[in-house]
Amino acid sequence: MSLLEGLRGALFSLRTNKLRSGLTMLGIIIGIAAVIAVVTIGMGGKAAIMQEMEKSGVNLFVLYGKSVGNSGQNAGSILTLQDGESLRRALPQVKVLLPASIEYASLEVNQKRSSAMVVGTTPEFADLRNRDIARGRFLSEEEFSADRRVVVIDQTLAEDLFGAGNPLGQQVIVHNVPCRVIGVLAKDTSSFAQFNVGPQNAYAYIPWGTWSDVFQSQRVDQLEGSTYRETDLTSTIESAKRILNVRHGTTNQYEAFNMQQLVQSANTIMRILTSFIGLVAGISLLVGGIGIMNIMLVSVTERTREIGLRKAVGAKEKDILLQFLLEAIVLSLIGGIMGIALGVGSALIASYLLNWPPLLSGWAIIFAVSFSIGVGLFFGFYPAFKAAKLEPMAALRYE
């Protein structure tokens, strides 16, 4: 029997039992679709993470005291403006380094009140964080140097206090101190912002000196900066922590966060999710393979007389073996192709909804096709071998 004849016979057999063939392929379809979708979505997710990191700045870092915000914080370990100046002089690899002090306070406009995180910072903040301005502008060097009473608010605060009105030039009472609105930050449309759940804090930004006057405090909650090169980030952070501990006479009192840690955490989460869903997909493929074996065994039993008749007219064992192997392979291959189509379609839809780049993996598709053929060979061999070994006379007498 030629290979072409065997394929025709396999397709005829599958068409004869369409419903049974379809149900048998279901496990293969689901498993292959899950593998393709998981790999594609995982690759798209990693690409989206890297895009957001590059947009925000992969060289960003934040230095802060371990006990920041705690009432028992050692006064000697509190960061100061002089710490930032000292680090800038000692670390030439630092591109930008600025202070940030934060206080949760109420803001009021015409008896309309809202609460926000009031941040005292410098004019470089918007560029460092890569934040866009929707209206007006950010703080200027002149306003920062003169400790002007000006404020930049975000969209959330603008909507709370001014509704659909124009906030530029309006006065806002920040912790009982009037400040003039000079700008409104655009909403954060990054992929990370889309996953924030629950109530979100509003933010207002004022010059650090103004913040110090408003809240009667000289403390610096954190130092935010970036390096010229990504490769200098880790060593710069370690050097900065050592310098801060020496300046304050402390030991291991400062911590740092950087964007690379966020990348690593996100990649770890993606890897765990991909592995878990991949395991589920593997179980589905295994169940699908067992289903193929079961159906092929049933098919051998149903066609025992046919096998006996074919052997009686001269069919060899290898012909019978090839016939049933081809049926199993065709069954799993068709299921694999349908699974690829379903997986690619699901991945593209998910990428569109998540606003992630759709990155199809050629290796995943090759693996899916190869695996589906392998499933047919592995789980179809025993039924095919059993059919090939049937004795012609016993098969012809089978009822």
Side-chain angles (χ1 to χ4, degrees):
M1 182 180 67
S2 67
L3 184 62
L4 183 59
E5 290 176 347
L7 285 173
R8 287 175 178 171
L11 290 172
F12 176 79
S13 176
L14 296 180
R15 284 198 302 268
T16 304
N17 300 282
K18 293 179 182 177
L19 180 59
R20 187 170 71 181
S21 300
L23 293 175
T24 304
M25 290 188 292
L26 193 58
I28 300 294
I29 293 171
I30 294 173
I32 294 296
V35 169
I36 298 293
V38 166
V39 171
T40 302
I41 293 172
M43 290 176 61
K46 289 181 180 179
I49 290 169
M50 291 310 301
Q51 285 180 2
E52 294 302 331
M53 293 301 99
E54 291 173 1
K55 187 186 298 182
S56 301
V58 291
N59 301 344
L60 282 177
F61 65 90
V62 178
L63 291 164
Y64 54 93
K66 283 188 175 180
S67 54
V68 65
N70 295 340
S71 57
Q73 182 178 8
N74 180 7
S77 66
I78 296 176
L79 293 170
T80 64
L81 290 179
Q82 290 71 32
D83 287 329
E85 295 170 1
S86 177
L87 290 176
R88 277 193 293 269
R89 290 193 299 267
L91 301 171
Q93 64 270 38
V94 172
K95 182 180 180 181
V96 179
L97 190 66
L98 54 88
S101 301
I102 307 169
E103 193 74 48
Y104 191 69
S106 64
L107 289 84
E108 185 177 347
V109 175
N110 298 328
Q111 298 184 338
K112 185 181 290 186
R113 180 172 297 185
S114 183
S115 297
M117 305 296 290
V118 181
V119 182
T121 186
T122 70
E124 296 92 348
F125 176 87
D127 290 333
L128 178 66
R129 291 289 191 91
N130 200 21
R131 295 298 303 273
D132 296 325
I133 304 294
R135 295 182 181 180
R137 57 178 175 79
F138 201 68
L139 308 173
S140 69
E141 287 291 345
E142 180 187 0
E143 289 162 342
F144 173 74
S145 301
D147 297 337
R148 297 280 177 82
R149 293 184 175 182
V150 293
V151 61
V152 177
I153 60 179
D154 65 6
Q155 288 275 22
T156 302
L157 196 54
E159 292 169 3
D160 287 347
L161 294 176
F162 299 97
N166 184 7
L168 296 182
Q170 302 292 325
Q171 273 204 343
V172 175
I173 307 301
V174 181
H175 198 62
N176 300 321
V177 175
C179 295
R180 181 171 56 88
V181 178
I182 61 170
V184 179
L185 286 177
K187 283 188 176 180
D188 187 358
T189 58
S190 67
S191 295
F192 295 117
Q194 296 176 27
F195 290 104
N196 289 334
V197 295
Q200 302 299 307
N201 286 323
Y203 283 84
Y205 303 88
I206 59 179
W208 189 88
T210 305
W211 186 95
S212 179
D213 291 340
V214 170
F215 296 104
Q216 296 297 298
S217 173
Q218 294 290 316
R219 80 173 193 272
V220 173
D221 291 324
Q222 58 194 37
L223 293 170
E224 302 184 15
S226 66
T227 58
Y228 286 101
R229 299 186 304 176
E230 184 181 347
T231 52
D232 292 333
L233 189 59
T234 302
S235 60
T236 299
I237 289 173
E238 293 304 316
S239 298
K241 289 194 290 187
R242 283 196 299 270
I243 293 171
L244 289 174
N245 280 308
V246 170
R247 280 182 55 82
H248 291 268
T250 56
T251 302
N252 196 27
Q253 284 297 307
Y254 299 94
E255 276 294 347
F257 171 81
N258 64 76
M259 297 302 287
Q260 291 180 1
Q261 292 174 324
L262 186 58
V263 172
Q264 293 171 358
S265 298
N267 284 336
T268 299
I269 293 171
M270 292 295 295
R271 188 165 55 249
I272 292 172
L273 288 175
T274 300
S275 300
F276 175 74
I277 300 175
L279 177 62
V280 175
I283 294 173
S284 178
L285 286 170
L286 178 62
V287 171
I290 294 172
I292 289 176
M293 178 185 284
N294 182 48
I295 291 302
M296 293 307 298
L297 286 172
V298 171
S299 181
V300 170
T301 302
E302 290 178 344
R303 296 159 63 186
T304 299
R305 288 177 62 83
E306 175 195 330
I307 295 168
L309 183 60
R310 291 192 61 194
K311 281 196 165 188
V313 297
K316 299 178 181 179
E317 287 188 0
K318 66 177 183 178
D319 296 326
I320 304 299
L321 181 68
L322 179 62
Q323 177 189 356
F324 281 89
L325 265 182
L326 284 174
E327 287 186 20
I329 291 172
V330 168
L331 193 66
S332 58
L333 185 58
I334 293 175
I337 293 172
M338 294 175 67
I340 290 172
L342 179 61
V344 170
S346 302
L348 292 176
I349 292 172
S351 298
Y352 174 77
L353 294 175
L354 296 172
N355 197 25
W356 287 354
L359 299 178
L360 296 176
S361 171
W363 286 108
I365 293 175
I366 293 172
F367 167 79
V369 174
S370 304
F371 194 90
S372 60
I373 294 174
V375 166
L377 280 171
F378 182 81
F379 288 98
F381 181 79
Y382 175 72
F385 181 78
K386 182 179 178 182
K389 290 298 182 182
L390 285 175
E391 291 294 335
M393 296 306 296
L396 286 169
R397 289 196 299 266
Y398 182 81
E399 295 295 336

mmCIF file of all heavy atoms in Angstrom, residues 53-60 95-98 121-133 137-141 152 185 205 224-226:
data_model
loop_
_atom_site.group_PDB
_atom_site.id
_atom_site.type_symbol
_atom_site.label_atom_id
_atom_site.label_comp_id
_atom_site.label_asym_id
_atom_site.label_seq_id
_atom_site.Cartn_x
_atom_site.Cartn_y
_atom_site.Cartn_z
ATOM 1 N N MET A 53 9.628 50.142 30.196
ATOM 2 C CA MET A 53 10.849 50.454 30.922
ATOM 3 C C MET A 53 11.675 51.491 30.162
ATOM 4 O O MET A 53 12.227 52.428 30.741
ATOM 5 C CB MET A 53 11.691 49.184 31.114
ATOM 6 C CG MET A 53 11.090 48.128 32.029
ATOM 7 S SD MET A 53 10.772 48.720 33.704
ATOM 8 C CE MET A 53 9.026 49.076 33.593
ATOM 9 N N GLU A 54 11.772 51.298 28.850
ATOM 10 C CA GLU A 54 12.525 52.250 28.042
ATOM 11 C C GLU A 54 11.847 53.621 28.037
ATOM 12 O O GLU A 54 12.512 54.653 28.032
ATOM 13 C CB GLU A 54 12.657 51.720 26.618
ATOM 14 C CG GLU A 54 13.560 50.499 26.519
ATOM 15 C CD GLU A 54 13.548 49.881 25.140
ATOM 16 O OE1 GLU A 54 12.840 50.417 24.265
ATOM 17 O OE2 GLU A 54 14.242 48.866 24.936
ATOM 18 N N LYS A 55 10.511 53.613 28.055
ATOM 19 C CA LYS A 55 9.771 54.875 28.083
ATOM 20 C C LYS A 55 9.992 55.594 29.410
ATOM 21 O O LYS A 55 10.178 56.817 29.450
ATOM 22 C CB LYS A 55 8.287 54.609 27.868
ATOM 23 C CG LYS A 55 7.445 55.868 27.718
ATOM 24 C CD LYS A 55 5.965 55.532 27.665
ATOM 25 C CE LYS A 55 5.614 54.662 26.477
ATOM 26 N NZ LYS A 55 4.158 54.392 26.416
ATOM 27 N N SER A 56 9.952 54.834 30.497
ATOM 28 C CA SER A 56 10.133 55.437 31.820
ATOM 29 C C SER A 56 11.602 55.703 32.116
ATOM 30 O O SER A 56 11.936 56.622 32.870
ATOM 31 C CB SER A 56 9.549 54.515 32.902
ATOM 32 O OG SER A 56 8.176 54.280 32.673
ATOM 33 N N GLY A 57 12.483 54.897 31.533
ATOM 34 C CA GLY A 57 13.913 55.046 31.782
ATOM 35 C C GLY A 57 14.455 53.868 32.558
ATOM 36 O O GLY A 57 14.184 53.750 33.763
ATOM 37 N N VAL A 58 15.214 53.003 31.893
ATOM 38 C CA VAL A 58 15.731 51.804 32.561
ATOM 39 C C VAL A 58 16.844 52.152 33.535
ATOM 40 O O VAL A 58 17.269 51.305 34.315
ATOM 41 C CB VAL A 58 16.235 50.779 31.522
ATOM 42 C CG1 VAL A 58 15.092 50.191 30.737
ATOM 43 C CG2 VAL A 58 17.263 51.407 30.580
ATOM 44 N N ASN A 59 17.353 53.395 33.496
ATOM 45 C CA ASN A 59 18.447 53.789 34.386
ATOM 46 C C ASN A 59 17.960 54.495 35.650
ATOM 47 O O ASN A 59 18.758 55.009 36.417
ATOM 48 C CB ASN A 59 19.411 54.728 33.644
ATOM 49 C CG ASN A 59 19.991 54.081 32.399
ATOM 50 O OD1 ASN A 59 19.917 52.874 32.232
ATOM 51 N ND2 ASN A 59 20.559 54.882 31.525
ATOM 52 N N LEU A 60 16.648 54.522 35.857
ATOM 53 C CA LEU A 60 16.098 55.220 37.018
ATOM 54 C C LEU A 60 16.390 54.476 38.324
ATOM 55 O O LEU A 60 16.378 53.245 38.362
ATOM 56 C CB LEU A 60 14.583 55.374 36.878
ATOM 57 C CG LEU A 60 14.066 56.468 35.939
ATOM 58 C CD1 LEU A 60 12.556 56.412 35.892
ATOM 59 C CD2 LEU A 60 14.525 57.839 36.397
ATOM 60 N N LYS A 95 23.538 61.016 36.089
ATOM 61 C CA LYS A 95 23.094 62.031 35.127
ATOM 62 C C LYS A 95 22.227 63.086 35.802
ATOM 63 O O LYS A 95 22.416 64.291 35.604
ATOM 64 C CB LYS A 95 22.317 61.351 34.007
ATOM 65 C CG LYS A 95 21.834 62.289 32.912
ATOM 66 C CD LYS A 95 21.084 61.507 31.845
ATOM 67 C CE LYS A 95 20.582 62.423 30.743
ATOM 68 N NZ LYS A 95 19.830 61.662 29.701
ATOM 69 N N VAL A 96 21.253 62.621 36.584
ATOM 70 C CA VAL A 96 20.325 63.512 37.295
ATOM 71 C C VAL A 96 20.125 62.964 38.698
ATOM 72 O O VAL A 96 20.045 61.742 38.892
ATOM 73 C CB VAL A 96 18.957 63.592 36.577
ATOM 74 C CG1 VAL A 96 18.008 64.498 37.356
ATOM 75 C CG2 VAL A 96 19.112 64.104 35.151
ATOM 76 N N LEU A 97 20.040 63.853 39.665
ATOM 77 C CA LEU A 97 19.709 63.439 41.031
ATOM 78 C C LEU A 97 18.943 64.585 41.676
ATOM 79 O O LEU A 97 19.451 65.701 41.774
ATOM 80 C CB LEU A 97 20.970 63.126 41.833
ATOM 81 C CG LEU A 97 20.730 62.458 43.191
ATOM 82 C CD1 LEU A 97 20.139 61.064 43.003
ATOM 83 C CD2 LEU A 97 22.024 62.367 43.993
ATOM 84 N N LEU A 98 17.723 64.302 42.111
ATOM 85 C CA LEU A 98 16.895 65.376 42.666
ATOM 86 C C LEU A 98 16.180 64.903 43.931
ATOM 87 O O LEU A 98 15.921 63.711 44.110
ATOM 88 C CB LEU A 98 15.883 65.848 41.618
ATOM 89 C CG LEU A 98 14.974 64.808 40.954
ATOM 90 C CD1 LEU A 98 13.710 64.593 41.774
ATOM 91 C CD2 LEU A 98 14.606 65.254 39.545
ATOM 92 N N THR A 121 9.591 68.988 44.803
ATOM 93 C CA THR A 121 10.607 68.460 43.891
ATOM 94 C C THR A 121 11.267 69.595 43.123
ATOM 95 O O THR A 121 11.147 70.776 43.493
ATOM 96 C CB THR A 121 9.987 67.407 42.945
ATOM 97 O OG1 THR A 121 11.003 66.797 42.167
ATOM 98 C CG2 THR A 121 8.931 68.019 42.049
ATOM 99 N N THR A 122 11.955 69.260 42.016
ATOM 100 C CA THR A 122 12.696 70.234 41.221
ATOM 101 C C THR A 122 12.171 70.237 39.782
ATOM 102 O O THR A 122 11.418 69.347 39.395
ATOM 103 C CB THR A 122 14.196 69.904 41.208
ATOM 104 O OG1 THR A 122 14.408 68.722 40.429
ATOM 105 C CG2 THR A 122 14.711 69.654 42.625
ATOM 106 N N PRO A 123 12.601 71.206 38.962
ATOM 107 C CA PRO A 123 12.124 71.258 37.573
ATOM 108 C C PRO A 123 12.493 70.029 36.738
ATOM 109 O O PRO A 123 11.849 69.764 35.717
ATOM 110 C CB PRO A 123 12.811 72.512 37.020
ATOM 111 C CG PRO A 123 13.039 73.376 38.213
ATOM 112 C CD PRO A 123 13.362 72.418 39.318
ATOM 113 N N GLU A 124 13.536 69.268 37.143
ATOM 114 C CA GLU A 124 13.957 68.099 36.345
ATOM 115 C C GLU A 124 13.035 66.912 36.511
ATOM 116 O O GLU A 124 13.177 65.913 35.789
ATOM 117 C CB GLU A 124 15.385 67.670 36.724
ATOM 118 C CG GLU A 124 16.456 68.691 36.419
ATOM 119 C CD GLU A 124 16.727 69.600 37.601
ATOM 120 O OE1 GLU A 124 15.936 69.589 38.552
ATOM 121 O OE2 GLU A 124 17.727 70.332 37.556
ATOM 122 N N PHE A 125 12.089 66.991 37.460
ATOM 123 C CA PHE A 125 11.251 65.831 37.774
ATOM 124 C C PHE A 125 10.487 65.310 36.551
ATOM 125 O O PHE A 125 10.457 64.111 36.291
ATOM 126 C CB PHE A 125 10.267 66.183 38.895
ATOM 127 C CG PHE A 125 9.305 65.077 39.227
ATOM 128 C CD1 PHE A 125 9.640 64.088 40.137
ATOM 129 C CD2 PHE A 125 8.046 65.004 38.624
ATOM 130 C CE1 PHE A 125 8.766 63.064 40.445
ATOM 131 C CE2 PHE A 125 7.172 63.986 38.917
ATOM 132 C CZ PHE A 125 7.524 63.016 39.830
ATOM 133 N N ALA A 126 9.841 66.204 35.804
ATOM 134 C CA ALA A 126 9.016 65.778 34.673
ATOM 135 C C ALA A 126 9.849 65.060 33.617
ATOM 136 O O ALA A 126 9.417 64.050 33.045
ATOM 137 C CB ALA A 126 8.309 66.978 34.049
ATOM 138 N N ASP A 127 11.066 65.566 33.352
ATOM 139 C CA ASP A 127 11.932 64.908 32.372
ATOM 140 C C ASP A 127 12.445 63.572 32.897
ATOM 141 O O ASP A 127 12.533 62.591 32.153
ATOM 142 C CB ASP A 127 13.115 65.816 32.009
ATOM 143 C CG ASP A 127 12.680 67.025 31.192
ATOM 144 O OD1 ASP A 127 11.648 66.926 30.497
ATOM 145 O OD2 ASP A 127 13.361 68.066 31.268
ATOM 146 N N LEU A 128 12.808 63.537 34.186
ATOM 147 C CA LEU A 128 13.311 62.292 34.779
ATOM 148 C C LEU A 128 12.262 61.197 34.703
ATOM 149 O O LEU A 128 12.559 60.048 34.325
ATOM 150 C CB LEU A 128 13.719 62.534 36.231
ATOM 151 C CG LEU A 128 14.228 61.300 36.996
ATOM 152 C CD1 LEU A 128 15.547 60.814 36.407
ATOM 153 C CD2 LEU A 128 14.387 61.612 38.484
ATOM 154 N N ARG A 129 11.028 61.529 35.044
ATOM 155 C CA ARG A 129 9.946 60.534 35.033
ATOM 156 C C ARG A 129 9.274 60.410 33.663
ATOM 157 O O ARG A 129 8.366 59.614 33.492
ATOM 158 C CB ARG A 129 8.890 60.920 36.073
ATOM 159 C CG ARG A 129 9.360 60.794 37.521
ATOM 160 C CD ARG A 129 9.498 59.329 37.915
ATOM 161 N NE ARG A 129 9.692 59.185 39.351
ATOM 162 C CZ ARG A 129 8.700 59.028 40.223
ATOM 163 N NH1 ARG A 129 7.441 59.011 39.803
ATOM 164 N NH2 ARG A 129 8.951 58.898 41.501
ATOM 165 N N ASN A 130 9.699 61.225 32.706
ATOM 166 C CA ASN A 130 9.143 61.201 31.351
ATOM 167 C C ASN A 130 7.630 61.419 31.358
ATOM 168 O O ASN A 130 6.882 60.714 30.678
ATOM 169 C CB ASN A 130 9.486 59.873 30.659
ATOM 170 C CG ASN A 130 9.380 59.962 29.150
ATOM 171 O OD1 ASN A 130 9.425 61.048 28.587
ATOM 172 N ND2 ASN A 130 9.211 58.831 28.496
ATOM 173 N N ARG A 131 7.192 62.406 32.121
ATOM 174 C CA ARG A 131 5.777 62.732 32.211
ATOM 175 C C ARG A 131 5.431 63.860 31.244
ATOM 176 O O ARG A 131 6.138 64.861 31.149
ATOM 177 C CB ARG A 131 5.405 63.148 33.640
ATOM 178 C CG ARG A 131 5.534 62.059 34.675
ATOM 179 C CD ARG A 131 4.612 60.878 34.384
ATOM 180 N NE ARG A 131 3.225 61.274 34.288
ATOM 181 C CZ ARG A 131 2.408 61.357 35.343
ATOM 182 N NH1 ARG A 131 2.847 61.066 36.550
ATOM 183 N NH2 ARG A 131 1.152 61.713 35.169
ATOM 184 N N ASP A 132 4.336 63.693 30.523
ATOM 185 C CA ASP A 132 3.881 64.698 29.564
ATOM 186 C C ASP A 132 2.984 65.721 30.255
ATOM 187 O O ASP A 132 2.318 65.419 31.252
ATOM 188 C CB ASP A 132 3.120 64.039 28.417
ATOM 189 C CG ASP A 132 3.999 63.122 27.590
ATOM 190 O OD1 ASP A 132 5.188 63.462 27.431
ATOM 191 O OD2 ASP A 132 3.507 62.071 27.123
ATOM 192 N N ILE A 133 2.962 66.916 29.697
ATOM 193 C CA ILE A 133 2.125 67.998 30.216
ATOM 194 C C ILE A 133 0.903 68.148 29.316
ATOM 195 O O ILE A 133 1.025 68.318 28.104
ATOM 196 C CB ILE A 133 2.894 69.329 30.268
ATOM 197 C CG1 ILE A 133 4.172 69.179 31.090
ATOM 198 C CG2 ILE A 133 2.009 70.427 30.838
ATOM 199 C CD1 ILE A 133 3.938 68.902 32.557
ATOM 200 N N ARG A 137 2.626 74.135 31.821
ATOM 201 C CA ARG A 137 4.026 73.700 31.861
ATOM 202 C C ARG A 137 4.366 73.172 33.248
ATOM 203 O O ARG A 137 3.556 73.259 34.184
ATOM 204 C CB ARG A 137 4.936 74.876 31.512
ATOM 205 C CG ARG A 137 4.736 76.076 32.446
ATOM 206 C CD ARG A 137 5.674 77.222 32.145
ATOM 207 N NE ARG A 137 5.368 78.389 32.973
ATOM 208 C CZ ARG A 137 5.742 78.527 34.241
ATOM 209 N NH1 ARG A 137 6.424 77.558 34.853
ATOM 210 N NH2 ARG A 137 5.422 79.619 34.925
ATOM 211 N N PHE A 138 5.598 72.650 33.367
ATOM 212 C CA PHE A 138 6.063 72.194 34.673
ATOM 213 C C PHE A 138 6.825 73.338 35.352
ATOM 214 O O PHE A 138 6.902 74.465 34.828
ATOM 215 C CB PHE A 138 6.949 70.954 34.517
ATOM 216 C CG PHE A 138 7.055 70.127 35.770
ATOM 217 C CD1 PHE A 138 5.952 69.431 36.257
ATOM 218 C CD2 PHE A 138 8.243 70.070 36.488
ATOM 219 C CE1 PHE A 138 6.032 68.684 37.425
ATOM 220 C CE2 PHE A 138 8.338 69.323 37.649
ATOM 221 C CZ PHE A 138 7.236 68.624 38.125
ATOM 222 N N LEU A 139 7.384 73.061 36.517
ATOM 223 C CA LEU A 139 8.091 74.084 37.284
ATOM 224 C C LEU A 139 9.302 74.609 36.518
ATOM 225 O O LEU A 139 9.984 73.845 35.825
ATOM 226 C CB LEU A 139 8.566 73.494 38.619
ATOM 227 C CG LEU A 139 7.508 72.778 39.477
ATOM 228 C CD1 LEU A 139 8.168 72.114 40.676
ATOM 229 C CD2 LEU A 139 6.447 73.768 39.929
ATOM 230 N N SER A 140 9.573 75.902 36.641
ATOM 231 C CA SER A 140 10.741 76.507 35.998
ATOM 232 C C SER A 140 11.872 76.655 37.027
ATOM 233 O O SER A 140 11.642 76.602 38.242
ATOM 234 C CB SER A 140 10.390 77.867 35.418
ATOM 235 O OG SER A 140 10.137 78.805 36.462
ATOM 236 N N GLU A 141 13.086 76.883 36.527
ATOM 237 C CA GLU A 141 14.235 77.085 37.411
ATOM 238 C C GLU A 141 14.046 78.335 38.269
ATOM 239 O O GLU A 141 14.417 78.347 39.444
ATOM 240 C CB GLU A 141 15.516 77.208 36.571
ATOM 241 C CG GLU A 141 15.992 75.904 35.957
ATOM 242 C CD GLU A 141 16.514 74.930 37.000
ATOM 243 O OE1 GLU A 141 16.765 75.358 38.151
ATOM 244 O OE2 GLU A 141 16.645 73.740 36.667
ATOM 245 N N VAL A 152 1.757 72.288 40.130
ATOM 246 C CA VAL A 152 1.379 71.512 38.949
ATOM 247 C C VAL A 152 0.551 70.341 39.458
ATOM 248 O O VAL A 152 0.984 69.607 40.362
ATOM 249 C CB VAL A 152 2.611 70.999 38.180
ATOM 250 C CG1 VAL A 152 2.176 70.129 36.998
ATOM 251 C CG2 VAL A 152 3.455 72.164 37.695
ATOM 252 N N LEU A 185 -0.525 67.747 34.511
ATOM 253 C CA LEU A 185 0.146 66.580 33.923
ATOM 254 C C LEU A 185 -0.846 65.722 33.153
ATOM 255 O O LEU A 185 -1.998 65.546 33.571
ATOM 256 C CB LEU A 185 0.797 65.732 35.015
ATOM 257 C CG LEU A 185 2.079 66.272 35.653
ATOM 258 C CD1 LEU A 185 2.531 65.327 36.755
ATOM 259 C CD2 LEU A 185 3.189 66.432 34.620
ATOM 260 N N TYR A 205 2.448 68.902 42.520
ATOM 261 C CA TYR A 205 3.898 69.100 42.563
ATOM 262 C C TYR A 205 4.208 70.585 42.759
ATOM 263 O O TYR A 205 3.703 71.444 42.025
ATOM 264 C CB TYR A 205 4.540 68.600 41.267
ATOM 265 C CG TYR A 205 4.237 67.147 40.996
ATOM 266 C CD1 TYR A 205 3.095 66.781 40.292
ATOM 267 C CD2 TYR A 205 5.074 66.142 41.465
ATOM 268 C CE1 TYR A 205 2.798 65.438 40.062
ATOM 269 C CE2 TYR A 205 4.789 64.795 41.235
ATOM 270 C CZ TYR A 205 3.647 64.460 40.530
ATOM 271 O OH TYR A 205 3.351 63.135 40.314
ATOM 272 N N GLU A 224 15.783 60.856 43.871
ATOM 273 C CA GLU A 224 15.484 60.170 42.617
ATOM 274 C C GLU A 224 16.511 60.575 41.572
ATOM 275 O O GLU A 224 16.845 61.749 41.447
ATOM 276 C CB GLU A 224 14.082 60.538 42.129
ATOM 277 C CG GLU A 224 12.994 60.216 43.133
ATOM 278 C CD GLU A 224 11.609 60.498 42.585
ATOM 279 O OE1 GLU A 224 11.480 60.663 41.345
ATOM 280 O OE2 GLU A 224 10.668 60.556 43.378
ATOM 281 N N GLY A 225 17.008 59.590 40.829
ATOM 282 C CA GLY A 225 18.020 59.911 39.840
ATOM 283 C C GLY A 225 18.115 58.898 38.723
ATOM 284 O O GLY A 225 17.347 57.923 38.649
ATOM 285 N N SER A 226 19.068 59.140 37.842
ATOM 286 C CA SER A 226 19.339 58.219 36.744
ATOM 287 C C SER A 226 20.819 58.277 36.405
ATOM 288 O O SER A 226 21.492 59.280 36.679
ATOM 289 C CB SER A 226 18.503 58.570 35.508
ATOM 290 O OG SER A 226 18.896 59.821 34.984
#
